[in-house]
Amino acid sequence: MTVTRVPIQPVKKGSMLKLWMGILLAVLLAAGLAWVGVKALPSVETTQSGLQITTLTPGEGASPVDGDVTLVNYEGRLPDNSVFDAAEQQAMPVSGVVPGFSEGLKKMQKGGKYRLKIPSALGYGSTPPPGSPIPADTDLTFDVELLDFKSEAEIQAMQQQMQQLQQMQQGGGQPPAPSQGN
């Protein structure tokens, strides 16, 4: 009985090194792409109410609460991506906007940029504002940058100071000197 032999060609010198270098390069490239891909994806949070909050740029510090007034840049879009409203440095009371926007503001931090996807039920529902370009039962998307926020008490104190300053300027009086504690 004879066995047919197939000669196996010897591996050329340096071929194994090239193979291992190719595998290492492929693994490093895949790891790099995965890291960049994961790093580039913004975080998305869906709340119990159905609001989707995408953090485009994280902010820092505390978040506004009911009773605070925020200063924001925003752009509102309809599902067809057309802009229906936009403003820069707009003061907005946290509790004075549609429920979805209010809920989103409470999750933001100063300096952060966010995208809010507000379901119709948390927006204007079946009764949009009169004369508004927003159709009934429409989901809305807002890109929001939270510039700053203050409590209503802080804003009232600032307004009182401004009124006192204006009264003094109109009356020609001088502002009172700061009291010195003895």
Side-chain angles (χ1 to χ4, degrees):
M1 194 185 273
T2 61
V3 176
T4 307
R5 293 185 186 200
V6 177
I8 298 176
Q9 297 292 323
V11 176
K12 293 181 184 176
K13 192 171 187 176
S15 295
M16 288 302 287
L17 179 61
K18 289 178 186 176
L19 176 67
W20 283 110
M21 291 299 286
I23 291 171
L24 180 62
L25 181 63
V27 168
L28 288 175
L29 184 60
L33 288 173
W35 182 77
V36 168
V38 169
K39 189 109 173 131
L41 291 177
S43 65
V44 178
E45 175 187 353
T46 302
T47 66
Q48 238 179 348
S49 66
L51 172 68
Q52 285 186 347
I53 305 167
T54 304
T55 301
L56 304 173
T57 305
E60 294 181 353
S63 298
V65 296
D66 285 328
D68 286 347
V69 177
T70 62
L71 186 65
V72 297
N73 294 336
Y74 74 90
E75 181 178 84
R77 291 186 310 280
L78 298 171
D80 67 0
N81 219 26
S82 62
V83 175
F84 68 87
D85 192 14
E88 290 190 5
Q89 297 187 0
Q90 178 70 42
M92 292 187 158
V94 172
S95 56
V97 292
V98 296
F101 205 97
S102 177
E103 184 180 351
L105 285 171
K106 294 178 207 174
K107 301 264 186 191
M108 297 180 187
Q109 296 172 304
K110 281 186 197 177
K113 294 181 182 178
Y114 305 87
R115 179 165 293 139
L116 304 177
K117 292 195 177 190
I118 302 175
S120 173
L122 296 176
Y124 294 104
S126 60
T127 55
S132 168
I134 303 170
D137 300 316
T138 300
D139 297 342
L140 304 173
T141 300
F142 286 91
D143 286 340
V144 183
E145 179 181 9
L146 179 60
L147 303 171
D148 200 4
F149 65 93
K150 303 244 182 248
S151 71
E152 286 180 1
E154 288 176 296
I155 290 176
Q156 287 175 351
M158 290 186 331
Q159 287 173 338
Q160 287 175 349
Q161 288 175 347
M162 292 297 291
Q163 287 173 350
Q164 289 173 353
L165 191 60
Q166 286 175 348
Q167 288 173 353
M168 284 186 248
Q169 288 175 348
Q170 290 172 353
Q174 293 292 324
S179 63
Q180 300 202 4
N182 290 337

